[in-house]
Amino acid sequence: MAELANVSPGTVDRIIHKRGQVAQETVDKVNAIIDEFGYKRNILASNLALNKKFHFAVFLPKSETLEYWKSQVDGIEKAAIEFSKFGIVLDYFFYDYNLISFKETVHKVMQFDCDGLLFAPIFYQDSVEFLNEYQKRNIPVVMIDSNISEGNQHAYVGQNAFQSGYLAGRLISFAVKNERQVLIFKITREIESTSVYLQRIDGFYSYFKDHNELTNFKFSEVTLKDSKIDQLSLDMFAGINSVFVPNSRAYIVAEFLYRNNIKGVRIIGYDLLKENIEYLNKGVIDFLINQRPEDQGYMGINYLYKKLVLQEETEHTHYIPLEIILKENYFPARKTV
């Protein structure tokens, strides 16, 4: 390019990077050549030459005892290894599964200087307040697991929660001709009265509202503010044909039914936790809707990499395809000896 413009490489470099003083005539000549030959700056090469680092803050629940979040972290770390050669550095901010710890970690994240943020907004109202304040920094944010962004302010990678509930409704309705008593089993911690949880339930009911020919379905709800099987009773399941558990704790219902030899109840839940898989394989849980947490973690970091390192325009919302898992199509990876 320098040869075509009959100038030095240093002059071309100053024009491309808009550094120093160059005669306008020369600037016009070089820019015309750039337009003609379609030159694009090699951003990766420039970053590597400058040894530039990109710090991404990762703000998540602790994963030691939470299998779902362990999978998210596995995906994040996979991306971190893959992109480390391009200057990506991850700084983790984990909190215990309670509001006090969450607020303490918010304070740490607010004090940390970074280039991008990966965030799982578990506590709805407090997460909204945090994002409203964090937005003032004009730093890219990508959310995983739950999308609480209004007006597409922040990027999101994860499930379409409403659609996943709608899908659960369809699965409940399959091959049912007689009257069906459906129980929505809300086994929650206080933390989980979140938008994802409520959107799933809304989507579930919406399926039946949209299919008003399904008049043989009757619905009831049970709410437990804990995850202990000893809170379940036989009376809860009297006359029940189907159970929808709008989170990852379908195994609690399945274990109770299995222990008490109650058969013929269709169960639909979420996530490939080992306890859920156990009862899926036993034929107690009929369907699990998998939202691929490892892919969410990986793609969240990938979004920040494309946005900040490659400086590419990327899709703001990426919905993970919802997988329907039955015991017949679940094949865990086998370790070779």
Side-chain angles (χ1 to χ4, degrees):
M1 189 179 299
E3 186 176 341
L4 289 171
N6 195 27
V7 296
S8 71
T11 298
V12 172
D13 182 74
R14 286 196 298 274
I15 293 170
I16 291 173
H17 297 97
K18 299 179 180 179
R19 294 195 297 260
Q21 297 294 321
V22 181
Q24 188 59 47
E25 181 182 354
T26 304
V27 171
D28 293 341
K29 183 189 295 185
V30 170
N31 283 334
I33 293 171
I34 288 173
D35 291 340
E36 181 180 353
F37 289 92
Y39 167 83
K40 286 184 69 176
R41 177 188 168 202
N42 189 330
I43 297 171
L44 281 179
S46 298
N47 290 337
L48 289 172
L50 295 170
N51 196 27
K52 186 172 183 178
K53 300 295 182 183
F54 296 86
H55 287 267
F56 299 163
V58 177
F59 185 9
L60 299 176
K62 287 182 180 177
S63 60
E64 286 90 340
T65 59
L66 299 169
E67 192 177 344
Y68 174 81
W69 291 108
K70 172 67 167 61
S71 296
Q72 293 271 14
V73 172
D74 288 345
I76 290 167
E77 292 183 345
K78 178 182 176 182
I81 293 170
E82 183 175 331
F83 300 135
S84 62
K85 57 182 174 288
F86 303 121
I88 300 298
V89 178
L90 300 189
D91 298 273
Y92 289 92
F93 295 85
F94 292 117
Y95 60 90
D96 293 324
Y97 224 59
N98 62 70
L99 187 54
I100 293 174
S101 180
F102 177 81
K103 288 183 175 180
E104 290 173 349
T105 311
V106 163
H107 182 68
K108 295 176 183 177
V109 174
M110 291 298 296
Q111 291 183 319
F112 182 70
D113 186 22
C114 66
D115 301 290
L117 172 68
L118 178 70
F119 175 47
I122 301 302
F123 295 94
Y124 177 75
Q125 190 55 49
D126 294 272
S127 294
V128 169
E129 293 172 6
F130 162 68
L131 286 174
N132 287 340
E133 186 64 25
Y134 202 82
Q135 187 175 322
K136 298 174 184 177
R137 298 186 172 203
N138 198 29
I139 291 173
V141 175
V142 57
M143 293 177 292
I144 54 176
D145 181 68
S146 179
N147 187 5
I148 64 172
S149 180
E150 295 184 5
N152 215 28
Q153 292 172 312
H154 306 293
Y156 172 67
V157 175
Q159 64 169 319
N160 182 321
F162 178 91
Q163 196 64 28
S164 75
Y166 201 91
L167 171 62
R170 178 180 290 275
L171 294 174
I172 285 283
S173 73
F174 278 160
V176 173
K177 296 181 180 179
N178 301 323
E179 184 169 297
R180 202 79 171 173
Q181 295 290 332
V182 181
L183 178 62
I184 293 89
F185 221 107
K186 304 175 180 178
I187 308 174
T188 72
R189 302 181 181 97
E190 181 182 353
I191 190 174
E192 288 173 320
S193 295
T194 62
S195 58
V196 163
Y197 189 75
L198 297 176
Q199 285 174 50
R200 286 174 179 170
I201 295 171
D202 187 27
F204 181 81
Y205 279 126
S206 292
Y207 176 80
F208 292 94
K209 290 176 184 175
D210 291 347
H211 296 80
N212 51 23
E213 72 278 8
L214 300 174
T215 56
N216 55 326
F217 286 85
K218 311 298 178 185
F219 303 94
S220 58
E221 297 184 5
V222 170
T223 300
L224 299 179
K225 292 294 184 182
D226 204 343
S227 301
K228 296 180 181 178
I229 194 171
D230 58 11
Q231 294 189 57
L232 277 62
S233 69
L234 292 174
D235 290 342
M236 292 177 178
F237 298 95
I240 297 300
N241 310 106
S242 301
V243 173
F244 172 49
V245 184
N247 59 19
S248 61
R249 287 193 257 307
Y251 66 89
I252 295 174
V253 174
E255 182 181 352
F256 181 85
L257 297 183
Y258 186 77
R259 284 185 186 180
N260 290 278
N261 198 30
I262 300 174
K263 299 180 180 179
V265 178
R266 178 175 292 179
I267 300 178
I268 296 178
Y270 287 81
D271 301 327
L272 299 183
L273 276 60
K274 62 182 180 181
E275 295 95 337
N276 283 339
I277 292 300
E278 176 186 350
Y279 288 102
L280 182 80
N281 288 331
K282 287 178 177 178
V284 185
I285 294 176
D286 294 87
F287 301 104
L288 289 172
I289 298 174
N290 181 32
Q291 50 187 323
R292 294 161 55 182
E294 185 170 340
D295 287 357
Q296 290 186 43
Y298 177 89
M299 293 178 69
I301 296 300
N302 187 49
Y303 171 87
L304 292 174
Y305 163 73
K306 289 182 176 179
K307 180 80 173 177
L308 293 164
V309 180
L310 300 183
Q311 297 179 21
E312 293 182 357
E313 288 298 321
T314 57
E315 288 289 335
H316 230 49
T317 301
H318 185 99
Y319 286 127
I320 297 289
L322 298 167
E323 296 179 339
I324 304 171
I325 306 298
L326 300 80
K327 70 175 182 178
E328 289 82 6
N329 72 350
Y330 176 72
F331 301 99
R334 298 181 182 276
K335 295 183 178 179
T336 56
V337 179

